[in-house]
Amino acid sequence: SLAAVLSRGGKFVQDASFKVRAVQEEKSQVFWDGVAPRQPLLLKPGEYEVATNTGHVSVTENIRLEAGQKLNHDTILNAGNLELRLEDREGVDVSKTIVTVETDAPGTTTGRRVVTRSVQGVPTFLLPAGTYYVSARNGSITAKDQVAIAAGEIVKRSLKLPAMELRVRTRLGDQTAFVSQGAEYRIWQLSEPDLQPLTRKSSDAHTGPKQRGHKSIAKNSLLSIEI
C-alpha cells in the first residue's frame, strides 16, 4: 500500500498522488498513477520507483519487492503547512491581494526563486521544510515576512497591509461647495519620487487605499499631506 506523511511518524496527507514504475524494464512501465489505491498493488518481484507529489512537494525514491512480500510504503515528505491570514484595513480588498512565496536560489539574478503565488483570501501552502520569504501585494501596498517551516509543522502567520483610506476633496476659492466633477488627482510617495503616481482617478474624491507614510497630491500645484 502507498501513503504519504509530513514527517516520520507524523500526519498523513490525504491528497498525495503516486506514480509507480519499474526501474529496470526497458520501457519503464507505469503500474500506478494517481491517488493512493484502495487495494494493494500486485507487483512481481523487482525494483520500483515511487514518485510522490502533493502541494509543492515532490519526493522520488526506489523500493525493492521480494517474492511474497507485503510492503506498506509511507513516503516521508519532510514538509509542513503554511497558513496565512491577510488582515485587511479600511479600503483594502483582500480578494485582490497577491501572495507570493519565495525561497533562496543562489546563482540566480535575484538570489531567490518563486515557489508559488495565490490570490485566495486565506491561502494555505504545503511546502518542503525550509525558510521562505512571503509577500502580500495589493496595488502599491506590500507586506513582507520571513517564515521558517519544520517538517510536520503547521505555521500560522498574519500579514497586515500597512494601508488606510485616503479621501480628497477640492473647493474653489472661498466657495463652501466641493467640486464633484472634473477634478483629477495624482498621488506620489515622497520617499520614492522616481516612481509613477500610485493612483490616478478623475471625478471621484475617493482615491482608494494608500500605504502609510508621507504622500503628495498634485492638482495644478503640489500639496503635501500626512496620512
Side-chain angles (χ1 to χ4, degrees):
S1 64
L2 298 172
V5 293
L6 291 178
S7 60
R8 188 176 299 276
K11 181 181 178 181
F12 284 93
V13 178
Q14 301 299 327
D15 59 352
S17 63
F18 303 87
K19 179 180 286 188
V20 179
R21 69 180 185 87
V23 173
Q24 296 179 350
E25 293 187 6
E26 293 182 0
K27 295 184 180 180
S28 187
Q29 180 181 357
V30 175
F31 293 94
W32 184 262
D33 190 359
V35 297
R38 295 184 178 181
Q39 300 296 328
L41 295 177
L42 298 179
L43 302 172
K44 65 182 182 180
E47 190 174 4
Y48 296 86
E49 179 186 89
V50 180
T52 307
N53 292 277
T54 180
H56 300 281
V57 183
S58 297
V59 177
T60 300
E61 52 197 341
N62 288 0
I63 60 174
R64 184 167 188 83
L65 289 177
E66 304 294 341
Q69 181 183 13
K70 295 182 179 180
L71 177 64
N72 295 321
H73 178 72
D74 293 345
T75 298
I76 301 174
L77 300 174
N78 286 319
N81 285 291
L82 173 60
E83 298 180 3
L84 296 176
R85 180 171 178 264
L86 305 179
E87 296 188 359
D88 58 345
R89 303 276 181 89
E90 183 183 357
V92 178
D93 187 355
V94 174
S95 65
K96 297 180 181 179
T97 300
I98 301 175
V99 175
T100 303
V101 179
E102 298 176 292
T103 188
D104 289 317
T108 62
T109 303
T110 61
R112 294 183 183 179
R113 174 179 61 86
V114 175
V115 178
T116 183
R117 287 190 174 93
S118 174
V119 292
Q120 297 179 10
V122 186
T124 300
F125 307 101
L126 178 60
L127 300 166
T131 300
Y132 296 90
Y133 307 93
V134 182
S135 63
R137 185 178 183 87
N138 188 306
S140 62
I141 307 165
T142 303
K144 298 181 179 181
D145 198 0
Q146 182 173 328
V147 181
I149 302 175
E153 187 178 17
I154 299 177
V155 178
K156 298 183 179 182
R157 290 291 178 88
S158 295
L159 290 179
K160 295 182 179 180
L161 296 173
M164 64 182 298
E165 193 88 337
L166 172 64
R167 294 181 180 272
V168 183
R169 296 187 299 181
T170 301
R171 290 187 298 188
L172 298 178
D174 296 330
Q175 297 182 16
T176 58
F178 290 98
V179 176
S180 60
Q181 297 292 329
E184 181 175 306
Y185 303 93
R186 296 182 181 181
I187 302 174
W188 286 266
Q189 187 166 347
L190 296 183
S191 60
E192 300 289 344
D194 295 332
L195 293 179
Q196 293 297 315
L198 299 179
T199 299
R200 295 182 182 182
K201 201 163 187 178
S202 301
S203 304
D204 191 344
H206 174 202
T207 60
K210 297 292 170 288
Q211 192 160 2
R212 290 186 184 274
H214 202 69
K215 305 287 190 296
S216 62
I217 297 179
K219 185 180 186 297
N220 298 328
S221 62
L222 187 66
L223 305 175
S224 295
I225 64 172
E226 183 69 24
I227 299 177

Coordinates of all heavy atoms in Angstrom, one line a residue, residues 109-169:
T109 N 19.8 35.6 -10.7 CA 19.9 37.0 -10.7 C 19.5 37.7 -9.5 O 20.2 38.5 -8.9 CB 19.2 37.6 -11.9 OG1 19.6 37.0 -13.2 CG2 19.4 39.1 -12.0
T110 N 18.3 37.3 -9.0 CA 17.7 37.9 -7.8 C 18.2 37.2 -6.5 O 18.0 37.7 -5.4 CB 16.2 37.9 -7.9 OG1 15.7 36.5 -7.9 CG2 15.7 38.6 -9.1
G111 N 18.7 36.0 -6.6 CA 19.0 35.2 -5.4 C 17.9 34.5 -4.8 O 18.0 33.8 -3.8
R112 N 16.7 34.6 -5.5 CA 15.5 33.9 -4.9 C 14.7 33.3 -6.1 O 14.9 33.7 -7.3 CB 14.6 34.9 -4.2 CG 15.2 35.5 -2.9 CD 14.2 36.4 -2.2 NE 14.8 37.0 -1.0 CZ 14.2 37.8 -0.2 NH1 13.0 38.2 -0.5 NH2 14.8 38.3 0.8
R113 N 13.9 32.3 -5.7 CA 13.0 31.6 -6.7 C 11.6 31.6 -6.2 O 11.3 31.4 -5.0 CB 13.5 30.2 -6.9 CG 12.6 29.3 -7.8 CD 13.2 27.9 -7.9 NE 13.3 27.3 -6.6 CZ 12.3 26.6 -6.1 NH1 11.1 26.5 -6.7 NH2 12.4 26.0 -4.9
V114 N 10.7 32.0 -7.1 CA 9.2 32.0 -6.7 C 8.7 30.5 -6.6 O 8.8 29.8 -7.6 CB 8.4 32.8 -7.7 CG1 6.9 32.7 -7.4 CG2 8.8 34.2 -7.7
V115 N 8.2 30.2 -5.5 CA 7.7 28.8 -5.3 C 6.2 28.8 -5.7 O 5.8 27.8 -6.4 CB 7.8 28.4 -3.8 CG1 7.2 27.0 -3.6 CG2 9.3 28.4 -3.4
T116 N 5.5 29.8 -5.3 CA 4.0 29.8 -5.7 C 3.5 31.2 -5.5 O 4.0 32.0 -4.8 CB 3.2 28.8 -4.8 OG1 1.9 28.8 -5.2 CG2 3.3 29.2 -3.3
R117 N 2.3 31.4 -6.1 CA 1.5 32.6 -5.9 C 0.1 32.3 -5.7 O -0.4 31.2 -6.2 CB 1.6 33.6 -7.1 CG 3.0 34.3 -7.3 CD 2.9 35.3 -8.3 NE 4.1 36.1 -8.4 CZ 5.1 35.9 -9.2 NH1 5.1 34.9 -10.0 NH2 6.2 36.6 -9.2
S118 N -0.7 33.1 -5.0 CA -2.1 32.8 -4.7 C -2.8 34.1 -4.6 O -2.3 35.1 -4.1 CB -2.2 32.0 -3.5 OG -3.5 31.8 -3.1
V119 N -4.1 34.1 -4.9 CA -5.0 35.2 -4.7 C -6.1 34.9 -3.8 O -7.2 35.5 -3.7 CB -5.6 35.8 -6.0 CG1 -4.5 36.4 -6.9 CG2 -6.3 34.7 -6.8
Q120 N -6.0 33.8 -3.1 CA -7.0 33.3 -2.1 C -7.0 34.2 -0.9 O -5.9 34.7 -0.5 CB -6.8 31.9 -1.7 CG -6.9 30.9 -2.8 CD -6.6 29.5 -2.3 OE1 -6.6 29.2 -1.1 NE2 -6.5 28.5 -3.3
G121 N -8.1 34.4 -0.3 CA -8.2 35.3 0.9 C -7.5 34.7 2.1 O -6.8 35.5 2.9
V122 N -7.5 33.4 2.3 CA -6.8 32.7 3.3 C -6.0 31.6 2.7 O -6.3 30.4 2.8 CB -7.7 32.2 4.4 CG1 -7.0 31.6 5.6 CG2 -8.7 33.3 4.9
P123 N -4.8 31.9 2.1 CA -4.1 30.9 1.4 C -3.4 29.9 2.3 O -2.9 30.3 3.4 CB -3.0 31.7 0.6 CG -2.9 33.0 1.4 CD -4.2 33.3 2.0
T124 N -3.3 28.7 1.9 CA -2.6 27.6 2.7 C -1.7 26.9 1.7 O -2.1 26.5 0.6 CB -3.6 26.6 3.3 OG1 -4.4 27.3 4.2 CG2 -2.8 25.5 4.0
F125 N -0.4 26.7 2.1 CA 0.6 26.1 1.2 C 1.2 24.9 1.9 O 1.6 25.0 3.1 CB 1.7 27.1 0.8 CG 1.1 28.3 0.3 CD1 1.1 29.5 1.0 CD2 0.7 28.4 -1.1 CE1 0.6 30.7 0.5 CE2 0.3 29.6 -1.6 CZ 0.2 30.7 -0.8
L126 N 1.4 23.8 1.2 CA 2.2 22.6 1.7 C 3.5 22.8 1.1 O 3.7 22.7 -0.2 CB 1.5 21.3 1.3 CG 2.3 20.1 1.7 CD1 2.5 20.0 3.2 CD2 1.6 18.8 1.2
L127 N 4.6 23.0 1.9 CA 5.9 23.3 1.4 C 7.0 22.4 2.0 O 6.8 22.0 3.2 CB 6.3 24.8 1.7 CG 5.3 25.8 1.2 CD1 5.6 27.2 1.9 CD2 5.5 25.9 -0.3
P128 N 8.1 22.1 1.3 CA 9.2 21.4 1.9 C 9.7 22.2 3.1 O 9.7 23.4 3.1 CB 10.2 21.3 0.8 CG 9.4 21.5 -0.5 CD 8.3 22.4 -0.1
A129 N 10.2 21.5 4.1 CA 10.8 22.2 5.3 C 11.9 23.1 4.8 O 12.7 22.8 3.9 CB 11.4 21.2 6.2
G130 N 11.9 24.4 5.4 CA 12.9 25.3 5.0 C 12.5 26.7 5.3 O 11.5 26.9 6.1
T131 N 13.2 27.7 4.8 CA 12.9 29.1 5.1 C 12.4 29.8 3.8 O 12.9 29.6 2.7 CB 14.2 29.9 5.5 OG1 14.7 29.3 6.7 CG2 13.9 31.4 5.8
Y132 N 11.3 30.6 4.0 CA 10.6 31.2 2.9 C 10.4 32.7 3.1 O 10.3 33.1 4.3 CB 9.3 30.5 2.6 CG 9.4 29.0 2.2 CD1 9.5 28.0 3.2 CD2 9.6 28.7 0.9 CE1 9.6 26.7 2.9 CE2 9.7 27.4 0.6 CZ 9.8 26.4 1.5 OH 9.9 25.1 1.2
Y133 N 10.3 33.4 2.0 CA 10.0 34.8 2.1 C 8.6 35.0 1.5 O 8.4 34.7 0.4 CB 11.1 35.6 1.2 CG 12.5 35.3 1.6 CD1 13.2 34.3 1.0 CD2 13.1 36.0 2.7 CE1 14.5 34.0 1.4 CE2 14.4 35.6 3.1 CZ 15.1 34.6 2.4 OH 16.4 34.3 2.8
V134 N 7.8 35.6 2.3 CA 6.3 35.8 1.9 C 6.0 37.2 1.8 O 6.4 38.1 2.6 CB 5.4 35.1 3.0 CG1 4.0 35.2 2.6 CG2 5.8 33.7 3.3
S135 N 5.3 37.6 0.7 CA 4.9 38.9 0.5 C 3.5 39.0 0.0 O 3.0 38.1 -0.7 CB 5.8 39.6 -0.6 OG 5.7 39.0 -1.8
A136 N 2.7 40.0 0.5 CA 1.3 40.2 0.1 C 1.3 41.6 -0.6 O 1.7 42.5 0.0 CB 0.4 40.1 1.3
R137 N 0.7 41.6 -1.8 CA 0.7 42.9 -2.5 C -0.7 43.2 -3.0 O -1.4 42.4 -3.6 CB 1.6 42.8 -3.7 CG 1.8 44.1 -4.5 CD 2.8 44.0 -5.6 NE 2.9 45.3 -6.3 CZ 3.8 46.2 -6.0 NH1 4.6 46.0 -4.9 NH2 3.9 47.3 -6.6
N138 N -1.2 44.4 -2.7 CA -2.5 44.9 -3.1 C -2.2 46.3 -3.8 O -2.1 47.3 -3.1 CB -3.4 45.0 -2.0 CG -4.8 45.3 -2.4 OD1 -5.1 46.3 -3.2 ND2 -5.8 44.5 -2.0
G139 N -2.2 46.3 -5.1 CA -1.8 47.6 -5.8 C -0.4 47.9 -5.4 O 0.6 47.2 -5.7
S140 N -0.2 49.1 -4.8 CA 1.1 49.6 -4.4 C 1.5 49.2 -3.0 O 2.5 49.6 -2.5 CB 1.2 51.1 -4.6 OG 0.2 51.8 -3.8
I141 N 0.6 48.5 -2.3 CA 0.8 48.3 -0.9 C 1.3 46.9 -0.7 O 0.8 45.9 -1.3 CB -0.6 48.4 -0.1 CG1 -1.2 49.7 -0.4 CG2 -0.4 48.1 1.4 CD1 -2.7 49.8 0.0
T142 N 2.4 46.7 0.1 CA 3.1 45.5 0.2 C 3.4 45.2 1.7 O 3.8 46.1 2.4 CB 4.4 45.4 -0.6 OG1 4.1 45.7 -2.0 CG2 5.1 44.1 -0.5
A143 N 3.2 43.9 2.1 CA 3.6 43.5 3.4 C 4.5 42.3 3.2 O 4.2 41.4 2.3 CB 2.4 43.1 4.3
K144 N 5.5 42.1 4.0 CA 6.5 41.1 3.9 C 6.8 40.4 5.2 O 6.6 41.0 6.3 CB 7.8 41.6 3.3 CG 7.7 42.2 1.9 CD 9.0 42.7 1.4 CE 8.9 43.3 0.0 NZ 10.2 43.8 -0.6
D145 N 7.2 39.1 5.1 CA 7.6 38.4 6.3 C 8.5 37.2 5.9 O 8.6 36.8 4.7 CB 6.3 37.8 7.0 CG 6.6 37.4 8.4 OD1 7.7 37.5 8.9 OD2 5.6 36.9 9.1
Q146 N 9.3 36.7 6.8 CA 10.2 35.6 6.6 C 9.7 34.5 7.5 O 9.5 34.7 8.7 CB 11.6 36.0 6.9 CG 12.6 34.9 6.7 CD 14.0 35.3 6.8 OE1 14.4 36.4 6.5 NE2 14.9 34.4 7.2
V147 N 9.6 33.3 7.0 CA 9.0 32.2 7.7 C 9.8 30.9 7.6 O 10.3 30.6 6.5 CB 7.6 31.8 7.2 CG1 6.9 30.7 8.0 CG2 6.7 33.0 7.2
A148 N 10.1 30.3 8.8 CA 10.8 29.0 8.8 C 9.8 27.9 9.1 O 9.0 28.0 10.0 CB 11.9 29.0 9.9
I149 N 9.8 26.8 8.3 CA 8.9 25.7 8.4 C 9.7 24.5 8.7 O 10.6 24.1 7.9 CB 8.0 25.6 7.1 CG1 7.3 26.9 6.8 CG2 7.0 24.4 7.3 CD1 6.5 26.9 5.5
A150 N 9.3 23.8 9.7 CA 9.9 22.5 10.0 C 9.0 21.3 9.6 O 7.8 21.5 9.4 CB 10.2 22.4 11.5
A151 N 9.6 20.2 9.4 CA 8.8 19.0 8.9 C 7.7 18.7 9.9 O 8.0 18.6 11.1 CB 9.8 17.8 8.7
G152 N 6.5 18.5 9.4 CA 5.4 18.2 10.2 C 4.7 19.4 10.9 O 3.7 19.2 11.6
E153 N 5.3 20.6 10.7 CA 4.8 21.7 11.5 C 3.7 22.5 10.7 O 3.7 22.5 9.4 CB 6.0 22.7 11.7 CG 5.7 23.9 12.6 CD 6.9 24.8 12.8 OE1 7.9 24.7 12.0 OE2 6.8 25.6 13.7
I154 N 2.8 23.1 11.4 CA 1.8 24.0 10.8 C 2.1 25.4 11.3 O 2.0 25.7 12.5 CB 0.4 23.6 11.2 CG1 0.0 22.2 10.7 CG2 -0.6 24.6 10.7 CD1 -1.4 21.7 11.2
V155 N 2.5 26.2 10.4 CA 2.9 27.6 10.7 C 1.8 28.5 10.3 O 1.4 28.5 9.2 CB 4.2 28.0 10.0 CG1 4.6 29.5 10.4 CG2 5.3 27.1 10.5
K156 N 1.3 29.3 11.3 CA 0.2 30.3 11.0 C 0.8 31.7 11.2 O 1.4 32.0 12.2 CB -1.0 30.1 12.0 CG -1.6 28.7 11.8 CD -2.8 28.5 12.7 CE -3.5 27.2 12.5 NZ -4.7 27.0 13.4
R157 N 0.6 32.5 10.2 CA 1.1 33.9 10.2 C 0.0 34.8 9.7 O -0.8 34.5 8.8 CB 2.3 34.1 9.3 CG 3.5 33.4 9.9 CD 4.0 34.1 11.1 NE 5.2 33.4 11.7 CZ 6.4 33.7 11.4 NH1 6.7 34.6 10.4 NH2 7.4 33.1 11.9
S158 N 0.0 36.1 10.2 CA -0.9 37.1 9.7 C -0.1 38.2 9.1 O 0.9 38.6 9.6 CB -1.7 37.7 10.9 OG -2.6 36.7 11.5
L159 N -0.5 38.6 7.9 CA 0.1 39.7 7.2 C -0.8 40.9 7.2 O -1.9 40.9 6.8 CB 0.5 39.3 5.8 CG 1.6 38.3 5.6 CD1 1.7 38.0 4.1 CD2 2.9 38.7 6.2
K160 N -0.3 42.0 7.8 CA -1.1 43.3 7.8 C -0.6 44.2 6.7 O 0.6 44.6 6.7 CB -0.9 43.9 9.2 CG -1.5 43.1 10.3 CD -1.3 43.9 11.7 CE -1.9 43.1 12.8 NZ -1.8 43.8 14.1
L161 N -1.5 44.6 5.9 CA -1.2 45.5 4.8 C -1.2 46.9 5.4 O -2.2 47.4 5.9 CB -2.2 45.4 3.7 CG -2.2 44.1 2.9 CD1 -3.4 44.0 2.0 CD2 -0.9 43.9 2.2
P162 N 0.0 47.6 5.4 CA 0.1 49.0 6.0 C -0.6 50.0 5.2 O 0.0 50.8 4.5 CB 1.6 49.2 6.1 CG 2.1 48.4 4.9 CD 1.2 47.2 4.7
A163 N -1.9 50.1 5.3 CA -2.7 51.0 4.4 C -3.8 51.6 5.2 O -4.2 51.1 6.3 CB -3.3 50.2 3.2
M164 N -4.3 52.7 4.7 CA -5.5 53.3 5.2 C -6.2 54.0 4.0 O -5.7 54.1 2.9 CB -5.2 54.3 6.3 CG -4.4 55.5 5.8 SD -3.9 56.7 7.1 CE -5.6 57.2 7.6
E165 N -7.5 54.4 4.2 CA -8.3 55.0 3.2 C -7.9 56.5 3.1 O -7.7 57.2 4.1 CB -9.8 54.9 3.6 CG -10.7 55.3 2.4 CD -11.0 54.1 1.5 OE1 -10.2 53.1 1.5 OE2 -12.0 54.1 0.8
L166 N -7.8 57.0 1.9 CA -7.5 58.4 1.6 C -8.6 59.0 0.8 O -8.9 58.5 -0.2 CB -6.2 58.6 0.9 CG -5.8 60.0 0.4 CD1 -5.7 61.0 1.6 CD2 -4.6 60.0 -0.5
R167 N -9.2 60.1 1.4 CA -10.3 60.8 0.7 C -9.9 62.2 0.5 O -9.4 62.9 1.4 CB -11.6 60.7 1.4 CG -12.2 59.3 1.5 CD -13.5 59.2 2.2 NE -14.0 57.9 2.3 CZ -14.8 57.3 1.3 NH1 -15.1 58.0 0.3 NH2 -15.2 56.1 1.5
V168 N -10.0 62.7 -0.7 CA -9.6 64.1 -1.1 C -10.7 64.8 -1.6 O -11.5 64.3 -2.5 CB -8.4 64.0 -2.1 CG1 -7.9 65.5 -2.4 CG2 -7.3 63.2 -1.6
R169 N -10.9 66.1 -1.2 CA -12.0 67.0 -1.7 C -11.4 68.3 -2.1 O -10.4 68.8 -1.5 CB -13.1 67.1 -0.7 CG -13.8 65.9 -0.3 CD -15.0 66.1 0.6 NE -14.6 66.7 1.9 CZ -15.5 67.0 2.9 NH1 -16.8 66.7 2.7 NH2 -15.1 67.5 4.0

